[in-house]
């Protein structure tokens, strides 16, 4: 049944809180807590080891992968789940460079999330032999693609500014130059209307604790284009990617499916929670979601710019060039965000001076956006951010 957004009653949201940080950690969808309790209190408690078969634990990674595939424009069977996003980035990069053995460059951009760049640096160090990572500015990356590039690895929506790369155009450019395309969808899955299959990209990766609301530490996902899957090199050749894990063979033989991108034992409780969390998408049209996200974020920009002239928009103004978040630069951004959080409007801060706000149409509406802008205006007008209590940085900003 198609639904009208928002669907707030599908989530537990603390009373009075305006949550603009679903781009970092989504809230708890209803049903998740009961599912986790059932996995622990019934399945694990009563079935113990029998749970792997009797409760379908071993089949969960593929089941959840198929549900995520439906949200990113990928066919069933093309998405594997497990591990963390950093691990999935490494798997995609390793497989991609293996496909272009005569090329030595991994191309990303300087705005990419540090862990993606660190994983690429670790891989190039391990490979040696002249492998390098190049990171031009995001706006220059399309021009930096040439026939030395083995893999182009980009994050579709920039985590700081929300700037969105043109997935179809860059993929075409990469493939015309003979490079393999990897998209990181960390800030796209569940936020943007995606047609991954139509983009023709070889690989995509992402996490499920942001817009997909899977909970802290929820498993990541990796997509491989279906025509490639039987030839993808599993650089992390764990036993659960083996064709017959329980044959306990001494030599690795990859599964002839996306299963080969699994590594080790699946995180059953987190996967079950994610499975339940994905129920929140029932009946949601991704086109509607994108339209609502653009409405909310355009509304927020207009409100903030008219109320808070001291803040500078640090996201593209064109909604088509932006994901589902809006950032403002402010020199005292950390303290200002602490002041906002103290008033129950939750965003986050990214160094050096970015105040970041995520727009999640499943549980936000226009009134929330207006209220958030009003509170921000009060903090700016009174300079409430000067309070010493807001100056000390916590470990997680
Ligand atoms: C959130 C995020 C990560 C985090 O990786 P983990 O291994 O899940 O901690 C990596 N890359 C990007 C682009 C992200 O946005």
């Amino acid at each position: 049944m198609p639904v009208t957004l928002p669907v707030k009653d599908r989530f537990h949201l603390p009373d009075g809180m305006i949550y603009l940080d679903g781009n970092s950690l989504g809230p708890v969808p209803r049903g998740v807590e009961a599912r986790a309790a059932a996995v622990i209190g019934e399945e694990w408690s009563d079935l113990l080891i029998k749970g792997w078969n009797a409760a379908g634990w071993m089949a969960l990674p593929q089941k959840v992968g198929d549900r995520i595939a439906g949200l990113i424009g990928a066919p069933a069977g093309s998405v594997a789940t497990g591990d963390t996003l950093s691990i999935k980035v490494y798997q995609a990069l390793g497989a991609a460079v293996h496909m272009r053995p005569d090329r030595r460059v991994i191309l990303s951009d300087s705005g990419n999330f540090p862990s993606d760049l660190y994983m690429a640096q670790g891989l190039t160090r391990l490979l040696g032999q002249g492998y390098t990572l190049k990171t031009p500015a995001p706006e220059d990356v399309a021009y930096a693609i040439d026939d030395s590039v083995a893999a182009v690895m980009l994050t579709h929506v920039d985590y700081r500014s929300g700037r969105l790369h043109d997935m179809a155009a860059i993929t075409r450019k990469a493939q015309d130059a003979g490079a393999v395309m990897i998209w990181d969808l960390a800030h796209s899955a569940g936020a943007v209307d995606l047609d991954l299959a139509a983009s023709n990209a070889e690989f995509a990766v992402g996490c499920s604790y942001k817009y997909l609301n899977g909970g802290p530490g929820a498993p990541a996902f990796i997509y491989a284009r279906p025509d490639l899957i039987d030839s993808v090199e599993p650089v992390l050749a764990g036993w659960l990617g083996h064709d017959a894990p329980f044959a306990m063979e001494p030599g690795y033989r990859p599964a002839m499916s996306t299963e080969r991108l699994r590594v080790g034992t699946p995180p059953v409780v987190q996967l079950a929670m994610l499975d339940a969390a994905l129920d929140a998408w029932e009946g949601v049209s991704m086109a509607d979601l994108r339209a609502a996200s653009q409405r909310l974020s355009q509304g927020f920009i207009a409100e903030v710019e008219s109320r808070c002239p001291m803040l500078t928009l640090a996201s593209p103004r064109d909604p088509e060039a932006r994901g589902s978040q809006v950032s403002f630069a402010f020199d005292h951004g950390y303290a200002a965000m602490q002041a906002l959080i103290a008033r129950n409007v939750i965003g986050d801060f990214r160094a050096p001076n970015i105040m970041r706000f995520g727009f999640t149409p499943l549980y936000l509406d226009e009134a929330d956006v207006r209220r958030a802008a009003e509170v921000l205006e009060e903090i700016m007008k009174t300079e409430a951010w000067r309070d010493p209590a807001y100056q000390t940085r916590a470990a997680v900003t």
Side-chain angles (χ1 to χ4, degrees):
M1 276 271 287
V3 294
T4 308
L5 297 172
V7 283
K8 291 191 191 208
D9 59 347
R10 294 183 178 184
F11 292 86
H12 287 285
L13 292 162
D15 274 347
M17 180 186 283
I18 299 179
Y19 193 65
L20 305 179
D21 215 2
N23 52 314
S24 212
L25 177 69
V28 189
R30 290 195 193 277
V32 167
E33 199 178 339
R35 180 71 181 273
V39 172
I40 296 166
E42 295 163 27
E43 297 173 6
W44 180 20
S45 292
D46 297 341
L47 297 171
L48 286 156
I49 194 75
K50 294 183 288 183
W52 287 109
N53 293 316
W57 291 347
M58 201 47 103
L60 261 180
Q62 197 55 59
K63 178 188 178 207
V64 170
D66 285 349
R67 297 187 76 183
I68 292 173
L71 296 176
I72 61 175
S78 63
V79 172
T81 56
D83 316 299
T84 76
L85 174 50
S86 304
I87 300 288
K88 293 313 187 202
V89 166
Y90 195 84
Q91 285 183 291
L93 281 170
V97 298
H98 203 266
M99 288 162 68
R100 298 292 182 270
D102 52 339
R103 297 181 175 208
R104 291 288 177 272
V105 174
I106 294 172
L107 182 68
S108 188
D109 71 45
S110 58
N112 204 347
F113 191 86
S115 200
D116 295 37
L117 300 179
Y118 301 160
M119 295 312 280
Q121 290 161 13
L123 180 63
T124 57
R125 272 200 303 278
L126 176 70
L127 291 169
Q129 300 175 53
Y131 276 94
T132 52
L133 168 68
K134 290 190 178 165
T135 55
E139 56 277 19
D140 296 333
V141 74
Y143 308 101
I145 300 170
D146 61 27
D147 63 10
S148 70
V149 175
V152 180
M153 186 251 312
L154 296 174
T155 296
H156 182 223
V157 174
D158 184 285
Y159 75 102
R160 264 186 299 236
S161 68
R163 186 263 314 119
L164 184 129
H165 275 305
D166 185 335
M167 180 181 279
I170 293 181
T171 302
R172 201 174 318 115
K173 192 129 201 261
Q175 293 177 343
D176 285 350
V180 174
M181 187 73 224
I182 303 166
W183 286 107
D184 188 325
L185 305 178
H187 293 276
S188 311
V192 178
D193 196 6
L194 293 168
D195 196 346
L196 189 55
S199 80
N200 201 44
E202 283 87 349
F203 297 102
V205 293
C207 52
S208 67
Y209 46 80
K210 294 171 181 165
Y211 294 90
L212 297 180
N213 313 306
F221 65 86
I222 181 166
Y223 159 89
R225 208 176 60 198
D227 61 299
L228 298 172
I229 191 61
D230 291 348
S231 58
V232 165
E233 179 65 25
V235 292
L236 299 178
W239 72 306
L240 288 184
H242 193 281
D243 190 43
F246 289 89
M248 303 292 177
E249 296 170 7
Y252 184 79
R253 262 189 317 114
M256 298 307 277
S257 69
T258 39
E259 302 275 297
R260 69 171 58 194
L261 294 172
R262 288 173 65 171
V263 182
T265 304
V268 171
V269 182
Q270 291 268 199
L271 274 165
M273 286 166 58
L274 174 57
D275 188 33
L278 292 171
D279 289 349
W281 295 91
E282 207 64 46
V284 173
S285 136
M286 295 309 283
D288 285 355
L289 179 98
R290 177 70 169 148
S293 142
Q294 293 185 332
R295 235 177 8 254
L296 293 173
S297 49
Q298 288 303 89
F300 186 70
I301 292 172
E303 292 276 355
V304 171
E305 288 192 326
S306 73
R307 294 166 186 271
C308 310
M310 58 297 278
L311 300 184
T312 310
L313 183 65
S315 295
R317 194 167 287 284
D318 174 5
E320 290 299 316
R322 210 172 55 224
S324 203
Q325 64 171 74
V326 171
S327 299
F328 283 94
F330 181 56
D331 283 348
H332 306 280
Y334 181 79
M337 185 54 76
Q338 292 307 302
L340 262 178
I341 292 169
R343 287 158 182 76
N344 234 355
V345 176
I346 316 291
D348 63 17
F349 172 81
R350 286 292 175 267
N353 65 344
I354 296 293
M355 298 175 73
R356 203 168 65 147
F357 303 93
F359 294 91
T360 46
L362 293 189
Y363 49 86
L364 287 174
D365 59 24
E366 265 93 357
D368 296 321
V369 164
R370 195 167 333 105
R371 178 79 195 120
E374 281 166 11
V375 176
L376 186 55
E377 178 182 25
E378 179 255 318
I379 288 167
M380 289 296 144
K381 291 228 163 111
T382 61
E383 302 198 349
W385 52 264
R386 289 194 188 275
D387 188 326
Y390 302 143
Q391 316 300 321
T392 319
R393 298 215 180 179
V396 176
T397 63

